[in-house]
Amino acid sequence: MPELPEVETIKRGLEKSVVGKTISDFDCDWKKMINKPLTEYRKVIKGLKIEGMRRRAKMLIIDLQKDWHLLVHLKMTGQLVYASKIKCVVGGHRIAEGYQCLPNKFTHATITFSDNSRLFFNDIRKFGWMRLYTGLEVQKELENMKLGPEPLASEFTLEYLHTVMKKRPNNKIKQFLMDSKVVVGVGNIYSDEVCFYAKVKPMRKVKSLKENEIKLIYKAIRTILEASIKAQGTTFSDFRNADGEAGGYSAKLKAYGRYGEPCKVCKSEIKRWKMGGRSSSYCPKCQK
Ligand SMILES: [Zn+2]
């Protein structure tokens, strides 16, 4: 599942290619992916120009003329590929079939632009979606999700973190960090990394945190997500040398997925803790 830094990378990569382009056609072969009949999509978006692209949590918002918007979620296995005669921009889940042949059997929606370049939505498991809304509808939809602040936005302050922690004293730290109502974008990977950075075990309760640990958690969330957004720049590449490699941050991971391996700091064996269907990796010595 692409996490926040990856979706931000997709946004940055795609906006350079598609903003300013006019949509000449839309196609979709998977009804559940869209929220209106295909004929209505076509009627509404044909002829509209893409005015901008935004990200909220792990969703992309493609802003069209006349206050229409496409709200896009790649979910587990979604991938967006922009292809023109001269370039190919790929973001999201890696699909082994490659991009040489587009559309392919995983392509479920295609936006064609007036210059004949296209934006493909490929999805192996078909959980992703691309919903068409008016400005008011998209705003309502986002409000209903009751999402917490963006981790790198100015609303996400240390004071805010204190306030939400007081409301959830008995949450386990890992569960607390991964709750999108607390802060968006800290998924399974980054919650492990934040705990490692802050030197706290993921299974501890929020109320057990000392002041300096809370400060470190706050700092970790911002530092790690910022670094990861920078590193994920490598997910995007040119058609000729592209193979959709994983973002550059994977080599920097200190805890996530390293169960059984030696800690990069103290050499102790990284342990695993299971919470619900998820597992966490942590260093039993570095993390208190
Ligand atoms: Zn260690």
Side-chain angles (χ1 to χ4, degrees):
M1 159 114 55
E3 296 220 20
L4 185 148
E6 201 170 356
V7 180
E8 178 64 26
T9 308
I10 295 169
K11 188 217 128 200
R12 291 179 187 183
L14 280 180
E15 75 184 339
K16 281 183 259 171
S17 302
V18 304
V19 171
K21 292 218 187 291
T22 303
I23 297 171
S24 63
D25 202 5
F26 178 80
D27 210 355
C28 180
D29 72 353
W30 181 243
K31 262 193 222 165
K32 285 183 182 166
M33 191 173 225
I34 52 182
N35 62 334
K36 300 177 201 296
L38 180 58
T39 46
E40 213 176 314
Y41 264 68
R42 285 197 170 130
K43 208 168 87 189
V44 171
I45 69 176
K46 266 189 189 181
L48 296 185
K49 197 180 267 185
I50 294 185
E51 290 190 321
M53 200 175 252
R54 293 176 281 151
R55 179 191 56 75
R56 176 70 173 114
K58 291 195 255 179
M59 290 168 286
L60 286 172
I61 306 163
I62 303 175
D63 299 313
L64 308 174
Q65 281 176 315
K66 298 187 179 170
D67 198 28
W68 284 100
H69 309 266
L70 287 167
L71 186 63
V72 182
H73 202 311
L74 297 175
K75 292 294 201 177
M76 302 290 286
T77 56
Q79 178 195 63
L80 286 169
V81 182
Y82 169 80
S84 73
K85 272 191 187 132
I86 49 166
K87 69 171 171 178
C88 185
V89 180
V90 182
H93 189 79
R94 276 182 282 171
I95 294 178
E97 269 68 10
Y99 327 111
Q100 289 82 355
C101 177
L102 282 165
N104 58 40
K105 62 178 171 177
F106 302 118
T107 303
H108 298 296
T110 307
I111 295 176
T112 305
F113 299 106
S114 56
D115 61 359
N116 285 323
S117 62
R118 286 183 289 180
L119 181 64
F120 299 97
F121 192 136
N122 305 328
D123 196 344
I124 296 174
R125 296 178 65 185
K126 301 197 276 194
F127 291 134
W129 41 257
M130 186 180 253
R131 296 178 186 153
L132 181 61
Y133 291 121
T134 63
L136 202 63
E137 283 169 344
V138 85
Q139 194 189 327
K140 261 194 190 158
E141 189 69 20
L142 291 173
E143 277 169 15
N144 288 340
M145 294 177 191
K146 297 191 166 50
L147 297 170
E150 289 286 330
L152 301 178
S154 55
E155 302 95 272
F156 183 63
T157 59
L158 184 58
E159 291 66 38
Y160 167 82
L161 191 62
H162 270 289
T163 313
V164 273
M165 279 182 167
K166 283 202 184 92
K167 288 179 189 159
R168 300 158 187 259
N170 292 313
N171 277 186
K172 303 268 196 290
I173 298 167
K174 168 105 176 169
Q175 169 198 11
F176 174 85
L177 290 171
M178 284 181 63
D179 188 339
S180 62
K181 292 182 173 72
V182 170
V183 58
V184 301
V186 186
N188 209 22
I189 299 177
Y190 299 106
S191 53
D192 276 5
E193 294 303 297
V194 166
C195 287
F196 185 91
Y197 182 107
K199 300 187 173 71
V200 296
K201 288 197 171 86
M203 66 290 265
R204 271 174 59 190
K205 284 187 175 173
V206 165
K207 66 181 174 195
S208 75
L209 288 167
K210 296 184 191 84
E211 185 55 36
N212 65 321
E213 292 174 327
I214 297 174
K215 275 187 186 152
L216 274 174
I217 286 176
Y218 175 75
K219 200 177 160 213
I221 293 172
R222 294 185 76 115
T223 309
I224 290 170
L225 284 171
E226 202 160 32
S228 180
I229 287 171
K230 261 189 195 162
Q232 289 279 359
T234 53
T235 329
F236 269 88
S237 34
D238 192 312
F239 191 42
R240 281 168 292 268
N241 51 23
D243 46 11
E245 282 299 312
Y249 199 75
S250 41
K252 292 186 184 147
L253 296 174
K254 294 202 168 67
Y256 177 79
R258 300 198 64 250
Y259 163 67
E261 290 175 41
C263 169
K264 288 181 180 176
V265 175
C266 75
K267 306 280 183 273
S268 302
E269 188 184 311
I270 297 286
K271 296 281 178 214
R272 179 163 61 174
W273 169 63
K274 285 192 174 172
M275 177 192 74
R278 300 196 179 268
S279 71
S280 259
S281 296
Y282 67 96
C283 173
K285 202 170 158 197
C286 294
Q287 293 170 251
K288 302 291 173 211

